[in-house]
Amino acid sequence: MSSATTAPATSDGALNDKSRKAIWAASIGNLLEWYDFGVYAYLATLIAAKFFPSTDPTASLLAAFAAYGVGFLARPFGGVVIGRLGDTKGRKAALVLTIFMMAFGTIGIGILPSYDSIGIWAPILLVLLRIVQGIAAGGEWGTSTAFIIEWSPAKRRGFFGSFQQVSTAGGSLLGSATAAILTSTLTASAMLEWGWRVPFLLGAVLLVVGVYMRRNVEETPHFEASREAATDAPVASGFPLGAMAFGFTIFWTIAYYTLLAWMPSFTQRFAGLTPSEALWANTIGLIAMVIAIPVWGALSDRIGRRPLLMASALSIGALAYPLFSLMAAKGGFALVLPIQILFGVLLALYSGPGPAAISEIFPTHLRSTWMSAGYTLAVAVFGGFAPFIATWLIQKTGSPVSPTYFYLVPAAVISLAVILKLKETAGTKLH
């Protein structure tokens, strides 16, 4: 191989044209897929009414969040199958597959008839489409993370790897902003009748961009150098590292889906916000997170991954209960907004160095398979059902803040224990 092919960066750590194009391609595709996958949560109350009608609004919402969680149950399957494809056939082939699958699932939800039109088939088909999305998302996260990290220079993997999370959070931000704009401009009846479909159909707009970019980039140099090892090495040898990735992800996923995906539902029910205010507060919190992620990612290249990861888990674990209690007691947009911004910045402390830290656990020939497996299993078990579990805990305990001390704080403790066992890998060579 030529040096241009094997080196993702120049000698001073700047990206060359190939690596810049590759990272941009993965980020654009990631943005599309996480917009598509995440927009469901922001429209959960409307989806509940259209596909799970009930005289009890809480029961209807629980059913909608259960369907939301089913998509996460499919993610480990997608992570293992598509992740293995990424290790044997290439990161690029796996990424092109996931983008087609995600587009199919999202557009399908946008055109799916409601319960009033086709009865029980409506929720059944909705769940099946969420499963397709879940398989795609399961393969997307680990493969795109490996793709970006392997194209990044060793001394700047924290910074460039953070763009995996910038695009992931950016997809959520785009979904939240789209839902906020629609709920602000359309009447409640129009949103319920047809407006909720628009964000799903808009997912097709980014499809052309994502497919074009991903078809016009090269495979990562690290993968090319490890093709033979990926085929010959026993897959089971990566299990202990996959278990570590699982523990690393528990706090990450619970915090993300509690503080972002579930937050609009909480602030509407317990903090006195209108649907529009709840979505705008969430959107602004996501903006703060997106801005902070690359800052913390770059800082992790200088001082290490572990200090920032521990700071995130400790601060969110300590502040979640008092801040959720304050929102439930006082309420109001003026109070909720700065709290959501704070949570966004603190969660970015984990999401900035997170992609580099979790990728650096694995050797190249097992990275896509076991990083995807560990990460997606944790997301499926803990993150995807976070809105459902939070709603259920509140219903059972009668306390609107019970998800913090029964769910979020224990998750922080578990992941802290894993982080303490990790070696500092900032600036080291990928193996």
Side-chain angles (χ1 to χ4, degrees):
M1 292 184 185
S2 68
S3 59
T5 301
T6 57
T10 61
S11 59
D12 63 357
L15 295 178
N16 61 30
D17 289 341
K18 290 180 180 179
S19 55
R20 186 180 297 107
K21 186 176 182 180
I23 291 173
W24 176 248
S27 298
I28 288 290
N30 223 31
L31 180 77
L32 163 67
E33 298 210 31
W34 293 104
Y35 164 85
D36 287 358
F37 192 74
V39 73
Y40 183 107
Y42 302 120
L43 299 167
T45 55
L46 298 174
I47 291 171
K50 299 298 289 186
F51 291 91
F52 305 97
S54 172
T55 55
D56 182 355
T58 300
S60 183
L61 186 61
L62 281 170
F65 277 139
Y68 178 71
V70 165
F72 285 81
L73 288 179
R75 286 176 65 172
F77 176 78
V80 171
V81 174
I82 300 177
R84 187 58 183 163
L85 177 69
D87 277 338
T88 56
K89 301 299 182 182
R91 318 308 196 204
K92 180 180 171 181
L95 292 176
V96 171
L97 173 62
T98 63
I99 205 167
F100 277 112
M101 292 180 65
M102 184 64 78
F104 173 81
T106 304
I107 297 170
I109 292 175
I111 63 176
L112 185 63
S114 65
Y115 188 92
D116 290 340
S117 299
I118 59 173
I120 192 62
W121 281 106
I124 291 174
L125 292 173
L126 178 67
V127 169
L128 290 176
L129 290 169
R130 284 296 295 173
I131 289 173
V132 172
Q133 287 187 312
I135 293 172
E140 166 69 18
W141 197 94
T143 308
S144 67
T145 301
F147 190 80
I148 292 172
I149 292 297
E150 289 170 9
W151 271 114
S152 301
K155 293 182 179 179
R156 302 186 71 192
R157 283 197 301 264
F159 174 68
F160 288 112
S162 73
F163 283 94
Q164 196 281 343
Q165 280 295 287
V166 169
S167 57
T168 298
S172 297
L173 169 60
L174 185 60
S176 181
T178 302
I181 291 169
L182 286 170
T183 55
S184 299
T185 56
L186 297 177
T187 64
S189 60
M191 275 299 297
L192 182 61
E193 184 64 27
W194 58 269
W196 68 270
R197 297 183 183 275
V198 174
F200 292 99
L201 298 177
L202 286 177
V205 175
L206 293 176
L207 179 61
V208 176
V209 178
V211 171
Y212 171 80
M213 294 293 288
R214 287 186 172 181
R215 284 183 172 175
N216 288 274
V217 297
E218 296 184 10
E219 190 53 80
T220 76
H222 288 281
F223 169 77
E224 293 291 3
S226 69
R227 275 184 184 272
E228 188 174 339
T231 303
D232 297 340
V235 179
S237 63
F239 177 80
L241 299 178
M244 187 169 290
F246 176 84
F248 179 92
T249 306
I250 289 175
F251 166 73
W252 197 359
T253 188
I254 289 178
Y256 189 92
Y257 288 101
T258 301
L259 301 178
L260 296 174
W262 177 65
M263 187 67 88
S265 296
F266 174 85
T267 54
Q268 287 180 61
R269 293 185 64 192
F270 302 108
L273 270 60
T274 66
S276 177
E277 288 175 334
L279 286 169
W280 278 117
N282 196 70
T283 298
I284 295 170
L286 273 166
I287 291 173
M289 180 180 173
V290 168
I291 293 171
I293 284 173
V295 175
W296 300 136
L299 184 61
S300 77
D301 287 325
R302 294 178 175 272
I303 68 171
R305 323 286 188 220
R306 295 171 76 244
L308 301 185
L309 295 169
M310 289 188 290
S312 178
L314 287 169
S315 59
I316 291 176
L319 292 174
Y321 175 75
L323 291 182
F324 270 77
S325 298
L326 184 61
M327 286 190 288
K330 302 291 185 180
F333 184 80
L335 174 66
V336 170
L337 179 59
I339 290 175
Q340 289 215 237
I341 291 173
L342 176 61
F343 277 139
V345 172
L346 295 179
L347 185 53
L349 274 170
Y350 211 94
S351 295
I358 195 172
S359 296
E360 290 160 350
I361 294 173
F362 301 92
T364 298
H365 65 282
L366 295 172
R367 182 171 295 120
S368 183
T369 302
W370 283 105
M371 181 167 61
S372 296
Y375 178 88
T376 55
L377 184 60
V379 172
V381 174
F382 297 104
F385 282 96
F388 177 87
I389 291 172
T391 304
W392 179 83
L393 283 170
I394 292 171
Q395 186 182 48
K396 290 299 181 181
T397 64
S399 170
V401 298
S402 58
T404 61
Y405 51 81
F406 279 127
Y407 203 43
L408 189 54
V409 173
V413 173
I414 293 170
S415 291
L416 270 172
V418 174
I419 295 166
L420 289 171
K421 293 183 179 180
L422 290 178
K423 294 180 180 179
E424 183 56 66
T425 51
T428 62
K429 290 183 179 181
L430 292 176
H431 56 289

